[in-house]
Amino acid sequence: MKRLAVVGSTGSIGQNTLRVVEHLSDRFRIFALAANSAVERLANQTAQFHPTVVAIGDPTRVDEFRSRCRELKI
């Protein structure tokens, strides 16, 4: 199984990449997700794919991201 890091996971290319991974889950595992500031979408992706590493580029949105993750129980 190949491990993938998706930088820009909340953008259109990142979202399409995750759709492909979803359909090929027996071949790929999401190891890391990174986004700039789309907190809600990144939190939902984290809940779905359970990556080991998650990064958000906008430091002013980190607390909001953590809060959303707590709400999703992840």
Side-chain angles (χ1 to χ4, degrees):
M1 181 171 297
K2 300 226 184 221
R3 297 183 317 161
L4 299 176
V6 181
V7 177
S9 67
T10 60
S12 62
I13 294 171
Q15 289 180 67
N16 285 326
T17 300
L18 293 175
R19 282 188 198 103
V20 170
V21 169
E22 189 175 16
H23 291 290
L24 299 173
S25 61
D26 58 323
R27 295 174 60 190
F28 298 101
R29 180 189 175 293
I30 298 298
F31 173 76
L33 292 173
N36 185 44
S37 62
V39 169
E40 183 72 24
R41 190 170 291 148
L42 183 60
N44 289 335
Q45 291 172 347
T46 301
Q48 181 178 359
F49 292 98
H50 306 285
T52 302
V53 176
V54 179
I56 188 160
D58 183 347
T60 65
R61 308 289 304 267
V62 171
D63 289 337
E64 183 182 352
F65 175 73
R66 287 180 179 154
S67 175
R68 183 64 183 130
C69 286
R70 279 192 294 277
E71 291 170 9
L72 293 172
K73 297 183 179 14
I74 53 172

